[in-house]
Amino acid sequence: MPLFDYAPAPESRSIVSLAPSYGLFIDGEFTEAKGTFKTINPADEEVLAEVALAAPEDVDRAVAAARRAFESWSALPGSERAKYLFRIARILQERAREFAVLESLDNGKPIKESRDVDLPLVAAHFFYYAGWADKLKYAGLGPDPRPLGVAGQVIPWNFPLLMLAWKIAPALATGNTVVLKPAETTPLSALFFADVCRQADLPPGVVNIVTGAGDTGRYLVEHPDVNKVAFTGSTEVGRQIARSVAGTGKKLTLELGGKAANIVFDDAPIDQAVEGIVNGIFFNQGHVCCAGSRLLVQESIASPLLEALKRRMSTLRVGDPLDKNTDIGAINSKAQLDRITELAGVGSDEGAERWSPPCELPDRGFWFAPTIFTGVTQAHRIAREEIFGPVLSVLTFRTPAEAVEKANNTPYGLSAGIWSDKGSRILAVADQLRAGVVWANTFNKFDPTSPFGGYKESGYGREGGRHGLEAYLA
Amino acid sequence: MPKSSTSSRLAVRKTYKLYVAGKFPRSESGRTYLVDGDNVALASRKDARDAVVAARAAQPKWAGATAYNRGQVLYRIAEMLEARRGEFKALGVAGSEVDAAVDRWVWYAGWSDKIAQIAGGANPVAGPFFNISAPEPTGVVGVIAPETLLGLVSVIAPAVVTGNTVVVVASNPQAAITLAEVLATSDVPGGVVNVLTGRAAEIAPWLASHDDVNALDLSGVGDSELATELERAAAGTLKRVVRPVSGVDYSEDPGTGAMTALLEIKTVWHPKGF
Amino acid sequence: MTATATSRLSHLADSPADLRTFLHGLPGVDKVGIEARAAALGTRSVKTTSKAQAIDLAIRMVDLTTLEGADTPGKVRALSAKALRPDPADPTCPPVAAVCVYPAMVPTAAAVLAGSGVHLASVATAFPSGQAPLEVKLADTRDAVAGGADEIDMVISRGAFLAGDYAKVFDEIVAVKEAAGPAHLKVILETGELATYDNVRRASWLAMLAGADFIKTSTGKVGVNATPPVTLLMLEAVRDFRERYGRQVGVKPAGGIRTTKDAIKYLVMINETCGDDWLSPDWFRFGASSLLNDLLMQRTKLTTGHYAGPDYFTLD
């Protein structure tokens, strides 16, 4: 029995009022579909609501609505579009607590993250792009950049509302209209966002939300009347989408998987490096495409660093996502839990040494203890494949050149981390890493002004910043 | 074209071979095809493979050269091209087009140390962080080049000025190889530009599906079905694809798009604190 | 401390150059990172039973302090009485850890505290500036101990530290430790004047190497006193020091900690940095004065179920 334990401190869920069922948001109205599916709380497997399953004809309706809306929306002065986005940003700020609780319920992420990371970034993203709407000619993309038309956007389940913001804010600022499909397991925050659009008096059809699974998404991106496709998700699906839009002339941006190296040199600020490692892989249960899932530690400090890491991991609190003291919440779905479990099993089978701190996992729901594998080499599957869970593979290196070589030895190229107190080494290593985002002496930092996106098989195009506009303008 | 001699002296003809890794090899296949009376090398998939190896080997050093140095090399290309204008005219290229091609090299030479300032910059993030975005070359680019000399220069120059290396499939062999001779005498490191002559339909699919090619420029692909097929193949490793646009006028201001299409934006964060 | 560790330590002290090399070889501290970590620990939500537990622990960790030019025997007697019975209305309320006063006030406090188990701490060594000859500092220390202090809160020479004269700081601590005899030695680093986290880490290790029983953040007399990140860093230092040399050292943040909410943040920080071994008045203290009343008010709120008012708590 510890001397000082934290009593349960659950955030009240009463701030969210869930309807038993939700329709599709098309042309400013919630409309029904023939099929439905259930969305559950991954922390206890309780059904949260029933959600419409969009069929092809529903997607057709949504695209048609977006097409109709495009004419007037794109003709609106940028300054007016800006005001709608500012309004949306404000409403999101005012409803932040509600959305945070909702996101934690549907996704399983800890409330402290949905409250302190997701929601502030969501509002900030709308604020940022709102300001661009009437300044596009200054973006360095030509004197009169034009919107593309209807954007078909498919987003993942790891940051449901934040990914929605990353997609919708720049699309609307640039004068496009959108049909967005949230992930099958996390549709609710997008549907609540539809309500925000109505509150903001956004013209009907400018934002349409179609819920469903892979088929709905596929139909949307392949829709002939869609001009722009934006996808965030797995590299495998990204590949399929790239194939399917080949020859259509649709503009495509993809933000896909990763297997980021987090490189710790022997002169690193050690306590901050340990925090960075923990934040890199255990933030959002490791359901992060840019997660620092490969720890590359200089062999000369491997042993004390790992000891410190294990000590730190022992303080991680796994459990109820709504508890304000929870550090690691629920795995988003049974399917994802199975995948993590399988790959962790492979890690053990391939001879890597597995360690987790003692932690009690709840009986119901989907859970996975924070785990590290030591003795991993580049030849292990857990060093190459994206696990998308709270599982860290630890490798060692001897020299900076070896660290860079190992870091780059992957088909992915989304992000990387560097920990060192030596400025010139940081800059040289950052130069050589083939990754779209390099965090030096920090990790998993995001900002609407900062472009995000990958090299190689981590996708193409950037989201955020001035660069993020490019994806939505011709 | 057959080169007739005006004097009694018998002319020494040029043999048009490939340009790979800074050398002028024959096709490993031993094949040639007749173009305007010349036997030019007919590149095979293995030549494409070798060219990618050469391009990959040259890429880090080329990208690691200073932008100033790359600009100097590109300007040197312009000088050498200017000096060889007669050769291109002899191949039937209009003098004005050679002039435009020279000027295009000069234009891109000047971009080498400016594009990063246009395409990158500091980002004012909401926190105590230094945050900067800078463009980097995508890597090895497969280029299916347009037929004209100006078109050819207009696709090679923007790719290499930023530090990419290229494997070019050229459909105007004599002009392309003559340009390769210009490059070979212009301080362009071997492997930075590799030129294959032959049939795009035969070679391009190997570049499109090659796991070690990072981007594909389809500017010179006229057949839309082939373009679609190549784009689809490129999806296998998520290559960046520059799609063909019909009716490009290469004499117009090319803008920065041809460069930025082959650049990756890297954003680096670092905390700021005493 | 093991014999080997001791000999390694004395070796370091022999040579100013070795001492410098050692201190400069400690891992760096990233300001943004440590401040983010401290802030994150500050978001822990401590409620109900945990809060009650935390408040009592915090009360037991208070070094109830008065260090004013205007201190009088009357004031010090009153404060000492309050230390023994912080909440006269509630006998279940624990006493604080210690009373902390200037050397001149030590005999007055000692008379009240004698035999109570509440410790008597005295600042010494020309507190707060430390700008006095060593002999004066040692006399100051001896006087305080002779008057009944069993804890000495000394200040380091920040000037010497900032000038890079680590050996001088080291030697002074050793000398004061010797002068303090059986009294526990708390070494005040005055982190607000050290300015950087790297300096705080070095000063922490320097003080521990020289024999400090506690390392303390501040005098309370400069612009920047105890902060959560500085305290976090010092907790990391004592944790790492024990791991390396086997000797446990305590931590005392002082100055500016006024609310229960703040105090609980510090307890969370101990809990998640050093763990149970430091969750005791033997190893962690709050140097504070107004904090105690806020702890008492929150304590009363938890026991009565309604909010408390300042008029219901003694002002000494």
Side-chain angles (χ1 to χ4, degrees):
Chain A
M1 176 69 190
L3 286 177
F4 182 30
D5 203 2
Y6 310 145
E11 180 67 56
S12 167
R13 58 183 283 180
S14 65
I15 195 167
V16 176
S17 96
L18 278 170
S21 69
Y22 289 91
L24 309 169
F25 185 66
I26 296 174
D27 214 6
E29 300 293 334
F30 279 102
T31 70
E32 302 207 337
K34 284 197 202 97
T36 62
F37 63 101
K38 294 177 169 61
T39 183
I40 64 167
N41 178 348
D44 61 14
E45 300 173 58
E46 297 288 340
V47 173
L48 292 168
E50 214 166 63
V51 177
L53 177 68
E57 58 268 29
D58 300 315
V59 176
D60 289 343
R61 277 194 297 137
V63 173
R67 173 63 55 197
R68 281 194 302 276
F70 176 67
E71 206 174 313
S72 48
W73 180 249
S74 58
L76 210 57
S79 55
E80 293 300 298
R81 287 201 308 270
K83 286 193 278 181
Y84 280 111
L85 292 176
F86 279 125
R87 208 184 249 189
I88 288 171
R90 267 288 188 259
I91 295 169
L92 285 164
Q93 282 182 320
E94 295 313 305
R95 294 177 64 177
R97 186 57 56 92
E98 174 193 2
F99 270 99
V101 173
L102 176 70
E103 200 78 317
S104 283
L105 282 173
D106 205 16
N107 169 279
K109 66 173 64 201
I111 185 73
K112 73 168 189 186
E113 290 177 8
S114 49
R115 179 195 66 202
D116 297 343
V117 181
D118 294 57
L119 263 296
L121 282 172
V122 166
H125 218 82
F126 277 100
F127 267 105
Y128 177 76
Y129 279 107
W132 266 123
D134 54 359
K135 302 169 190 69
L136 299 175
K137 64 181 174 183
Y138 305 106
L141 303 168
D144 183 26
R146 305 297 308 155
L148 303 169
V150 175
Q153 307 177 318
V154 177
I155 58 170
W157 46 260
N158 56 343
F159 295 92
L161 191 66
L162 183 57
M163 292 300 104
L164 173 149
W166 283 24
K167 296 283 180 287
I168 290 184
L172 264 49
T174 48
N176 298 276
T177 56
V178 308
V179 178
L180 175 133
K181 190 199 86 70
E184 185 185 3
T185 59
T186 55
L188 293 178
S189 54
L191 294 165
F192 273 55
F193 178 79
D195 186 49
V196 171
C197 294
R198 291 211 296 199
Q199 254 185 296
D201 294 326
L202 190 71
V206 172
V207 169
N208 304 275
I209 310 282
V210 291
T211 45
D215 287 343
T216 306
R218 194 172 307 120
Y219 192 80
L220 173 60
V221 302
E222 291 177 8
H223 199 288
D225 204 27
V226 160
N227 307 95
K228 153 81 195 173
V229 172
F231 171 76
T232 297
S234 73
T235 290
E236 206 33 64
V237 174
R239 245 191 275 281
Q240 290 167 21
I241 292 174
R243 279 192 193 105
S244 73
V245 305
T248 63
K250 289 175 192 168
K251 196 157 184 168
L252 176 64
T253 42
L254 299 169
E255 202 269 272
L256 309 175
K259 191 75 189 176
N262 200 0
I263 307 170
V264 182
F265 288 100
D266 59 6
D267 65 342
I270 212 77
D271 294 296
Q272 286 73 56
V274 168
E275 285 310 310
I277 295 164
V278 166
N279 179 38
I281 187 61
F282 302 124
F283 172 60
N284 204 37
Q285 295 72 247
H287 300 328
V288 185
C289 45
C290 52
S293 54
R294 278 188 298 152
L295 174 63
L296 294 180
V297 54
Q298 194 152 13
E299 204 167 325
S300 54
I301 54 153
S303 139
L305 181 84
L306 288 173
E307 257 172 62
L309 175 61
K310 287 176 178 177
R311 181 178 60 213
R312 174 68 178 85
M313 283 173 67
S314 303
T315 68
L316 291 170
R317 303 169 64 89
V318 186
D320 180 7
L322 285 186
D323 191 309
K324 293 171 205 162
N325 292 324
T326 291
D327 299 314
I328 298 184
I331 300 302
N332 179 252
S333 65
K334 174 76 166 52
Q336 188 57 27
L337 178 61
D338 289 346
R339 158 126 184 115
I340 298 167
T341 308
E342 186 210 322
L343 273 166
V346 169
S348 299
D349 292 346
E350 289 183 346
E353 194 178 323
R354 179 176 182 160
W355 184 87
S356 291
C359 68
E360 250 176 71
L361 301 179
D363 297 331
R364 302 189 58 204
F366 315 127
W367 305 93
F368 200 90
T371 299
I372 57 174
F373 279 98
T374 51
V376 179
T377 70
Q378 292 286 87
H380 285 78
R381 269 181 70 192
I382 53 169
R384 309 200 65 78
E385 292 180 35
E386 186 175 39
I387 300 174
F388 222 65
V391 181
L392 177 69
S393 299
V394 183
L395 297 85
T396 60
F397 68 88
R398 296 161 297 173
T399 64
E402 186 182 355
V404 168
E405 191 179 279
K406 283 182 167 170
N408 287 339
N409 181 214
T410 165
Y412 294 115
L414 188 51
S415 67
I418 308 170
W419 296 86
S420 168
D421 249 7
K422 187 165 182 173
S424 61
R425 172 151 52 215
I426 290 172
L427 294 176
V429 171
D431 258 2
Q432 291 183 28
L433 290 172
R434 302 284 292 159
V437 183
V438 176
W439 286 293
N441 291 328
T442 187
F443 209 95
N444 272 344
K445 287 282 178 292
F446 309 94
D447 192 276
T449 68
S450 180
F452 184 92
Y455 284 36
K456 301 196 280 185
E457 292 200 15
S458 290
Y460 37 77
R462 292 293 178 267
E463 293 182 291
R466 181 186 69 82
H467 296 85
L469 296 168
E470 221 175 313
Y472 291 94
L473 290 168
Chain B
M1 72 194 64
K3 289 155 191 76
S4 53
S5 174
T6 49
S7 72
S8 59
R9 182 178 169 275
L10 189 64
V12 177
R13 288 183 189 167
K14 185 191 287 183
T15 310
Y16 291 97
K17 297 189 284 188
L18 307 176
Y19 180 54
V20 176
K23 297 191 163 53
F24 291 91
R26 293 195 170 82
S27 169
E28 64 75 38
S29 65
R31 301 179 306 173
T32 62
Y33 64 129
L34 260 183
V35 182
D36 294 337
D38 290 322
N39 287 103
V40 298
L42 181 63
S44 67
R45 68 175 166 86
K46 289 188 178 174
D47 294 319
R49 174 201 65 191
D50 294 346
V52 170
V53 170
R56 175 59 64 196
Q59 203 271 329
K61 203 169 171 197
W62 179 240
T66 63
Y68 179 58
N69 178 238
R70 283 199 305 272
Q72 298 264 299
V73 171
L74 260 69
Y75 186 76
R76 180 70 179 158
I77 296 172
E79 290 177 349
M80 290 295 103
L81 182 52
E82 178 90 30
R84 291 184 186 233
R85 14 190 1 262
E87 283 192 47
F88 288 93
K89 285 174 79 176
L91 290 170
V93 181
S96 60
E97 193 185 347
V98 182
D99 293 346
V102 171
D103 292 353
R104 179 87 2 122
W105 281 113
V106 173
W107 194 73
Y108 276 115
W111 268 117
S112 70
D113 48 10
K114 295 163 194 74
I115 185 65
Q117 293 175 310
I118 300 298
N123 306 305
V125 297
F129 294 94
F130 171 81
N131 178 296
I132 194 161
S133 293
E136 289 192 345
T138 293
V140 173
V141 185
V143 178
I144 318 304
E147 211 168 323
T148 62
L149 175 67
L150 182 58
L152 182 63
V153 169
S154 298
V155 292
I156 296 176
V160 297
V161 68
T162 52
N164 293 290
T165 56
V166 295
V167 175
V168 182
V169 180
S171 49
N172 184 355
Q174 284 93 333
I177 294 303
T178 305
L179 181 65
E181 290 160 9
V182 169
L183 300 172
T185 52
S186 304
D187 305 327
V188 178
V192 169
V193 179
N194 303 276
V195 181
L196 304 176
T197 52
R199 301 186 197 103
E202 181 190 352
I203 308 165
W206 293 100
L207 293 174
S209 66
H210 198 305
D211 283 354
D212 205 28
V213 170
N214 302 101
L216 199 61
D217 182 341
L218 303 178
S219 294
V221 180
D223 174 352
S224 69
E225 233 168 87
L226 175 62
T228 301
E229 205 177 286
L230 293 172
E231 190 180 346
R232 201 172 288 139
T237 56
L238 280 318
K239 289 177 185 63
R240 289 79 179 113
V241 177
V242 177
R243 294 161 171 159
V245 181
S246 56
V248 180
D249 180 355
Y250 285 106
S251 66
E252 281 181 6
D253 177 347
T256 55
M259 287 180 286
T260 55
L262 300 173
L263 290 172
E264 305 290 332
I265 297 299
K266 177 188 280 179
T267 301
V268 179
W269 293 67
H270 196 283
K272 290 193 277 197
F274 289 127
Chain C
M1 215 183 302
T2 64
T4 354
T6 313
S7 69
R8 261 188 285 157
L9 277 176
S10 54
H11 169 70
L12 273 180
D14 283 347
S15 148
D18 285 358
L19 189 58
R20 159 184 291 274
T21 304
F22 178 87
L23 295 176
H24 286 253
L26 292 167
V29 185
D30 183 78
K31 175 179 188 280
V32 175
I34 194 164
E35 289 177 358
R37 172 64 176 151
L41 286 167
T43 67
R44 289 295 193 209
S45 179
V46 176
K47 302 288 179 205
T48 64
T49 51
S50 309
K51 188 173 182 181
Q53 194 189 9
I55 287 173
D56 277 13
L57 180 58
I59 292 171
R60 290 169 49 226
M61 287 173 165
V62 168
D63 278 6
L64 194 58
T65 303
T66 185
L67 294 169
E68 302 299 332
D71 286 346
T72 59
K75 162 77 182 172
V76 169
R77 268 195 294 274
L79 192 78
S80 303
K82 176 154 185 165
L84 299 174
R85 286 175 306 280
D87 185 353
D90 183 355
T92 66
C93 179
V96 302
V99 168
C100 182
V101 294
Y102 271 117
M105 292 295 147
V106 165
T108 309
V112 183
L113 299 175
S116 67
V118 171
H119 295 283
L120 176 51
S122 176
V123 296
T125 70
F127 180 94
S129 74
Q131 298 283 22
L134 179 60
E135 271 318 305
V136 174
K137 294 181 182 181
L138 297 180
D140 202 20
T141 306
R142 285 186 206 105
D143 276 359
V145 175
D150 61 351
E151 298 183 354
I152 294 295
D153 290 21
M154 72 167 284
V155 290
I156 63 164
S157 294
R158 282 85 76 193
F161 183 92
L162 291 171
D165 195 351
Y166 302 135
K168 180 178 177 190
V169 179
F170 185 95
D171 292 343
E172 276 196 1
I173 296 170
V174 170
V176 173
K177 168 93 176 156
E178 199 190 338
H184 266 229
L185 183 65
K186 305 196 197 102
V187 177
I188 302 172
L189 309 179
E190 198 67 301
T191 55
E193 291 186 346
L194 298 184
T196 70
Y197 291 108
D198 289 326
N199 274 347
V200 173
R201 175 168 276 169
R202 289 171 191 155
S204 297
W205 279 78
L206 179 62
M208 293 187 290
L209 290 168
D213 297 302
F214 257 77
I215 48 176
K216 176 174 167 183
T217 60
S218 321
T219 59
K221 302 293 184 191
V222 297
V224 179
N225 296 297
T227 66
V230 150
T231 310
L232 172 60
L233 177 53
M234 289 165 65
L235 285 166
E236 288 168 357
V238 296
R239 175 198 70 198
D240 296 345
F241 184 82
R242 186 179 74 170
E243 204 166 278
R244 182 146 174 176
Y245 294 117
R247 184 168 79 84
Q248 185 164 342
V249 176
V251 175
K252 177 177 171 183
I257 304 166
R258 294 192 179 86
T259 65
T260 302
K261 202 173 170 183
D262 285 345
I264 290 177
K265 286 179 185 178
Y266 283 93
L267 295 181
V268 165
M269 208 183 287
I270 308 170
N271 192 34
E272 301 199 27
T273 307
C274 298
D276 286 355
D277 288 355
W278 270 266
L279 275 171
S280 137
D282 291 341
W283 302 107
F284 196 85
R285 297 282 179 84
F286 292 107
S289 41
S290 61
L291 170 65
L292 181 58
N293 267 14
D294 194 66
L295 287 166
L296 296 174
M297 281 173 45
Q298 294 294 325
R299 191 175 190 276
T300 303
K301 194 262 164 187
L302 285 181
T303 47
T304 64
H306 59 75
Y307 292 106
D311 285 353
Y312 296 82
F313 298 90
T314 58
L315 269 179
D316 289 314

